[in-house]
Amino acid sequence: MEPAAILDQLTTFEDLPREALRAATERRTELVPLFIEEIEGCVRGHEADGDLLLFAFHLLGSWREVSAYRPLARLLRSDPDRLDTVLGYCITETAHRVMAAVFDGDPEPIFNIILDEKADEFARSRMCETLAMLVLDGRTDREPVAAFLRDCWTSLRPRRDCFVWNGWQSAIAMIGLVELKEIVKEAFDTGIVDAEWLAYGDFERDLMSAALNPTERAVRPGKDFTVFGDVIEELSSWYCYSEAAKKERERLRELPPPLLFPPPAPITNPLRGIGRNDPCPCGSGKKYKKCCLQ
């Protein structure tokens, strides 16, 4: 399959485009520069195809393509709304694993994402955990990362209501940086780390487990800290590409078309009972007050 045909199939699909993804791997040498060009264009504000960039992002991770490390780091620092349009929930689900996969040995681009107050707070949070993954895998030195996380206590902004602090405490716990325990406790005590995200006891338990078992990575329910793997195997587990989703799409196609003028229904408030700090019902993963409430 020619590169142009591969790109076309990655932008016009319904089910997971397995054939195009396999062909992309076979034509990797030709597609890497095309993918990076698309990513750089998106960073510069050019019109971008979200589906193509989503597949490019994960293919580059699957290939361990270190030449994509810095372009992807720039993508993760782009306008949060634009980034959300391109990556959506992958910002929290796979971005940390992809960045660990393409890491070129220099943690500075990840430091810059974390420190960028204008970057997406969830991407910043996940990059803290990327640093921890790299330390635990022996792919970057512990001391510079520990010094960076310590300095974040005074340099990280904003100090309040920003999810980056959740990733900060998580990275400290994962690496077992017992020497930073007191400043993390202060972050919990002063509400910089929101108690709705995590209790200090949870952090302390994870920290001590890592300190006592430095060669073992803690297994946390619902969290994956492994480097991104085979793209087809990984994406096949997503609901949107599952048989259940396919059957649901087929069921919806068989339904009669909706009435042009449906009878009026009682007016209800679908947001009733949702607190400002509750997860937004739109499914973005953000708090209600930082999403649809605005």
Side-chain angles (χ1 to χ4, degrees):
M1 189 183 299
E2 293 297 315
I6 295 171
L7 296 178
D8 182 63
Q9 287 198 24
L10 294 180
T11 57
T12 56
F13 65 93
E14 185 172 88
D15 298 325
L16 184 65
R18 289 176 171 82
E19 182 181 351
L21 292 171
R22 293 190 188 97
T25 298
E26 294 173 1
R27 307 296 291 263
R28 170 181 170 176
T29 303
E30 297 161 275
L31 286 174
V32 164
L34 298 179
F35 286 162
I36 291 178
E37 183 181 352
E38 287 287 332
I39 291 163
E40 295 283 25
C42 180
V43 172
R44 292 192 296 269
H46 297 172
E47 189 67 29
D49 185 287
D51 292 325
L52 176 60
L53 284 178
L54 185 73
F55 284 122
F57 183 78
H58 292 97
L59 279 166
L60 292 166
S62 180
W63 296 338
R64 309 290 193 271
E65 183 56 56
V66 296
S67 68
Y69 173 58
R70 293 167 194 270
L72 291 182
R74 288 189 284 272
L75 176 66
L76 290 173
R77 292 182 67 182
S78 59
D79 175 75
D81 290 336
R82 190 171 183 80
L83 181 65
D84 186 64
T85 299
V86 173
L87 294 184
Y89 78 99
C90 297
I91 296 170
T92 56
E93 294 300 312
T94 57
H96 59 305
R97 301 175 60 217
V98 168
M99 288 300 287
V102 300
F103 181 62
D104 72 358
D106 179 9
E108 195 68 26
I110 297 177
F111 291 168
N112 292 335
I113 298 169
I114 295 167
L115 293 175
D116 189 346
E117 188 174 348
K118 295 181 180 179
D120 181 274
E121 62 182 296
F122 299 98
R124 296 171 71 194
S125 175
R126 277 308 207 183
M127 290 308 101
C128 293
E129 293 171 326
T130 298
L131 290 176
M133 291 170 62
L134 294 170
V135 169
L136 293 173
D137 287 341
R139 297 171 60 202
T140 197
D141 292 336
R142 183 181 191 273
E143 290 72 21
V145 171
F148 171 78
L149 293 171
R150 181 190 63 239
D151 292 344
C152 281
W153 178 235
T154 56
S155 60
L156 206 55
R157 295 290 183 275
R159 299 282 286 180
R160 298 278 180 173
D161 197 26
C162 183
F163 200 71
V164 66
W165 291 102
N166 184 68
W168 173 77
Q169 65 77 29
S170 177
I172 290 172
M174 288 171 67
I175 302 172
L177 299 176
V178 178
E179 64 270 29
L180 302 185
K181 179 179 177 180
E182 290 307 312
I183 60 173
V184 176
K185 187 174 190 311
E186 185 176 350
F188 275 91
D189 289 345
T190 56
I192 292 174
V193 177
D194 195 325
E196 292 190 2
W197 303 337
L198 190 78
Y200 177 71
D202 296 322
F203 160 79
E204 193 172 34
R205 182 179 61 251
D206 289 342
L207 175 71
M208 297 314 297
S209 176
L212 293 172
N213 304 283
T215 61
E216 297 181 15
R217 184 171 304 183
V219 178
R220 304 180 186 186
K223 292 191 176 183
D224 191 345
F225 295 116
T226 60
V227 172
F228 193 80
D230 178 78
V231 68
I232 294 178
E233 181 180 342
E234 294 265 6
L235 300 191
S236 293
S237 66
W238 293 10
Y239 174 78
C240 60
Y241 302 129
S242 68
E243 280 299 314
K246 183 177 180 180
K247 290 178 180 178
E248 178 63 12
R249 289 193 295 270
E250 292 172 351
R251 185 188 69 82
L252 292 174
R253 289 194 192 99
E254 294 172 357
L255 293 176
L259 295 174
L260 186 59
F261 300 103
I267 297 175
T268 60
N269 179 6
L271 303 177
R272 183 179 181 183
I274 299 175
R276 284 171 51 82
N277 288 311
D278 291 339
C280 188
C282 76
S284 67
K286 299 181 181 180
K287 290 185 178 182
Y288 178 43
K289 66 182 178 183
K290 302 203 73 176
C291 192
C292 293
L293 181 61
Q294 295 184 342

